[in-house]
Amino acid sequence: MRYVLRRLFFYLIAFFCAATFNFILPRLMPGDPITIMFSSQGNNLPIESLNALKATFGFIDGPLHEQYFAYLKSVFTWDLGYSVQYYPQSVNDVLNRSILWTLFLVGISSVISFSLGSLAGIYAAWHRGGTFDTILSPLSLVMQSMPAVIISLFFLFTFGVALDWLPTGYAYNIDYDPEWSFKYIASVLEHAIMPITTLVIVQIGGYLITIRNNMINLLGEDYIVMARAKGLSEKRVMLNYGARNAMLPLVTTFAMTIGVVLGGSLITEYVFNYPGLGNTLYQAITNRDYPVIQGQLLIMTLAMLTMNFLADMAYVYLDPRLRKA
Amino acid sequence: MSRILTLLKRNKKASFGMIILLVYVFIALFADVITDHDPIKRVARPHQEPSIEHLMGTTRMGRDVYTQFVHGTRTSIAVGFSAGFIIMALGTILGISAGYFGGKVDEVINFFTNIALVIPQLPLLLVLAAFLGESSPTTIALIIGFTSWAWGARVTRAQTMALSKKEFIQSAELAGESRWRILLVELLPNLASIIGANFIGSVLFTVITQATIEFLGLGNPLTMSWGTMLYNAQNTSAMHVGAWWEILTPSIAIAVLGVALALLNFGIDEISNTKLRTFSGLRIFNRRIAAIEYEKSLTAQEEHS
């Protein structure tokens, strides 16, 4: 229990640090977006209107510490202000609109890579040196060193443009209304094939190799020999004795990968013009939409922290040595 | 040096990766000698297919893709190596200090390392690049270098802690060797493979990240690199008019470099750790996990006592 509390405390501090960093970042940059927005249009706003606008978007003048406390309060009440680009929508509206799409991409692709990758890894380790292992294991290394940009551009060009098999943009056919109809869901799935495949390729190699190498390390252990000596079936030794223990470090891999997947999802969403968090962040960056950028960074940090915390919890559950502490 | 060469020769993967890397370095060094054109000068009609005259075709602006690739290699390799060096240096210094000195030093460094690890990196880099505005390759190398040291620091720390408990370090301490001597002569050589792996992994990460930043249009579009080539190709809708050579050239350049560096890394792992030679694989990944496992067990022990 103390272990859990300690981790929780650490994540709280980490979030606090990230939030502070998030506060400092746009303030290091010259000018504020409101001034930039209106000076670029050549408008001369009266100073009162300018101040009113600044207040609306959360760029209050005043001593830095007052700004900081106002900012912290807004973070902890999750009141992130208004988007400059989509005014009068609030940052929360903008984020809510896109977060589900990213969760969809990241979630499905993680589950697929995790299950396929670990199954293939277990199989490759059990029959190491066989055809499956000699082909797939080096291949997964190659896949691991491929950046998401290249994979997604390759898919977009081959299946989207040249062969014209799959749609090249957006999350569903905009002629259909979002509803629980077969037509709509089929369209969503069709649009998700390429982004999800890209993300699976980015992740799957890591799982495969991790579990394969763990398995191989474990297979020499005494308890494996013992299980065999007891006359248990091969399948049982492989899954219940070998794989079960080899899976443990995958929990860490899972939490570690979330940062990579978020990055990969960002670029994939941009290439396929998918309306997720990554694309929203890109739009916000190019439009200097500071409130949305800040909200994005916060929500992504929060996702990383949550995943890491969940991994810690899973560890406590899976590894009895930590539970006693 | 000759010892490294014989080792490389014995390991097929490493030597293959090394050869590819050397070809890239050669291209980067002799960029001006092996090209005839200026990479940003119009030298032919737009969107010419690959031919003898223009080996990799031309862009929308009538620029020679081969020349762009060669000059892009120079930028990408330079950025990759310099940021890789910064990451390696920071990671090693912080990791060894934390692992060897322990106590308060360790607590402070480890705290910041852990914070840096849970901040989403690519989004942060994109925001930084955007705020700095049309980031030049130097800027990109610096921001990547100074934000990506955490993994290296963590792995080096765990390995240093493991080494510090070994007898040869303890006997060196008892023999009254100075701390600096222990750090530089006893510890550093034994960390060489981890530091090398850190460097190679960081170069790969930097090249990929730089390409990503520039592809999104957050770099300086006037400099020539693989990322800006992709950006320009995307911007002039090369894909939709069928100018595949414009997209394919930088993509393959990045992919092949990625494979080369990955092979080199596995090779180094196999060479430095004889136990691993029986099976190949993504060692660095495993070692990172081993490092985390080790830390977890340490925390568990602390909790017990």
Side-chain angles (χ1 to χ4, degrees), chain A residues 72-319:
Chain A
L72 277 188
K73 200 183 145 223
S74 74
V75 166
F76 282 98
T77 51
W78 208 251
D79 168 23
L80 302 174
Y82 292 95
S83 157
V84 174
Q85 183 190 358
Y86 300 107
Y87 188 78
Q89 292 182 4
S90 71
V91 173
N92 283 334
D93 289 338
V94 176
L95 293 182
N96 284 345
R97 207 168 40 195
S98 46
I99 191 164
L100 280 179
W101 291 117
T102 298
L103 274 181
F104 172 61
L105 288 190
V106 169
I108 303 273
S109 63
S110 300
V111 169
I112 294 178
S113 339
F114 186 84
S115 34
L116 267 186
S118 41
L119 279 180
I122 291 168
Y123 188 82
W126 199 252
H127 302 279
R128 63 177 175 283
T131 330
F132 185 80
D133 186 33
T134 24
I135 294 175
L136 220 67
S137 302
L139 191 71
S140 59
L141 302 180
V142 173
M143 287 201 296
Q144 264 238 318
S145 47
M146 286 300 141
V149 200
I150 306 294
I151 303 172
S152 48
L153 279 177
F154 171 76
F155 279 132
L156 181 67
F157 182 69
T158 320
F159 301 108
V161 178
L163 296 171
D164 199 17
W165 287 353
L166 292 165
T168 55
Y170 214 62
Y172 54 88
N173 193 331
I174 39 167
D175 295 339
Y176 305 155
D177 292 323
E179 56 187 6
W180 286 109
S181 67
F182 174 76
K183 210 169 58 172
Y184 175 70
I185 292 171
S187 158
V188 166
L189 291 180
E190 200 189 10
H191 282 75
I193 292 177
M194 287 200 285
I196 286 182
T197 317
T198 308
L199 290 180
V200 167
I201 293 179
V202 171
Q203 300 173 67
I204 196 168
Y207 289 122
L208 196 155
I209 287 299
T210 312
I211 198 155
R212 173 184 175 273
N213 289 358
N214 278 322
M215 267 293 264
I216 290 176
N217 280 333
L218 285 177
L219 288 182
E221 297 276 328
D222 290 343
Y223 66 88
I224 300 279
V225 182
M226 158 81 175
R228 278 210 171 121
K230 280 201 296 191
L232 294 177
S233 73
E234 284 285 285
K235 206 173 126 202
R236 191 149 176 196
V237 180
M238 176 164 99
L239 294 177
N240 290 23
Y241 285 73
R244 225 190 127 155
N245 289 295
M247 294 285 271
L248 198 62
L250 275 200
V251 177
T252 316
T253 320
F254 201 76
M256 251 167 51
T257 325
I258 187 75
V260 181
V261 185
L262 274 180
S265 167
L266 200 156
I267 187 82
T268 313
E269 283 169 20
Y270 168 75
V271 170
F272 295 109
N273 194 19
Y274 207 82
L277 279 182
N279 211 356
T280 312
L281 177 64
Y282 172 75
Q283 302 295 343
I285 288 176
T286 44
N287 290 306
R288 298 255 153 174
D289 191 344
Y290 292 87
V292 172
I293 293 177
Q294 287 192 316
Q296 283 276 0
L297 286 183
L298 271 183
I299 214 164
M300 286 184 169
T301 315
L302 214 55
M304 300 263 296
L305 293 175
T306 316
M307 283 310 290
N308 276 286
F309 185 66
L310 287 181
D312 284 340
M313 293 304 94
Y315 246 92
V316 175
Y317 175 71
L318 293 170
D319 190 341

Side-chain angles (χ1 to χ4, degrees), chain B residues 52-124:
Chain B
I52 304 287
E53 191 126 342
H54 299 286
L55 283 175
M56 297 170 183
T58 61
T59 70
R60 177 78 218 283
M61 308 289 285
R63 293 163 183 165
D64 184 48
V65 176
Y66 166 72
T67 315
Q68 294 203 329
F69 156 71
V70 170
H71 285 268
T73 306
R74 176 177 268 186
T75 320
S76 293
I77 292 280
V79 169
F81 274 52
S82 43
F85 183 78
I86 298 176
I87 298 172
M88 176 188 75
L90 281 176
T92 308
I93 293 170
L94 291 172
I96 292 192
S97 322
Y100 182 64
F101 295 118
K104 278 273 173 305
V105 181
D106 182 30
E107 259 171 47
V108 173
I109 295 177
N110 198 27
F111 177 74
F112 282 106
T113 312
N114 284 333
I115 299 271
L117 280 174
V118 290
I119 289 179
Q121 209 179 3
L122 188 64
L124 179 69

Side-chain angles (χ1 to χ4, degrees), chain B residues 134-165:
Chain B
E134 300 212 330
S135 312
S136 66
T138 323
T139 320
I140 293 179
L142 288 177
I143 56 176
I144 295 179
F146 283 99
T147 53
S148 315
W149 46 268
W151 261 120
R154 184 171 207 171
V155 177
T156 315
R157 170 181 176 265
Q159 187 69 13
T160 312
M161 282 169 91
L163 279 177
S164 306
K165 298 218 164 68

Side-chain angles (χ1 to χ4, degrees), chain B residues 37-49:
Chain B
H37 306 294
D38 186 332
I40 50 167
K41 216 171 145 190
R42 184 175 212 124
V43 291
R45 300 217 332 270
H47 279 161
Q48 296 278 56
E49 278 191 31

Side-chain angles (χ1 to χ4, degrees), chain B residues 176-197:
Chain B
E177 280 186 26
S178 75
R179 284 194 148 181
W180 282 108
R181 201 188 132 78
I182 294 179
L183 276 184
L184 296 176
V185 182
E186 314 283 358
L187 276 175
L188 210 53
N190 285 298
L191 291 168
S193 71
I194 275 200
I195 296 171

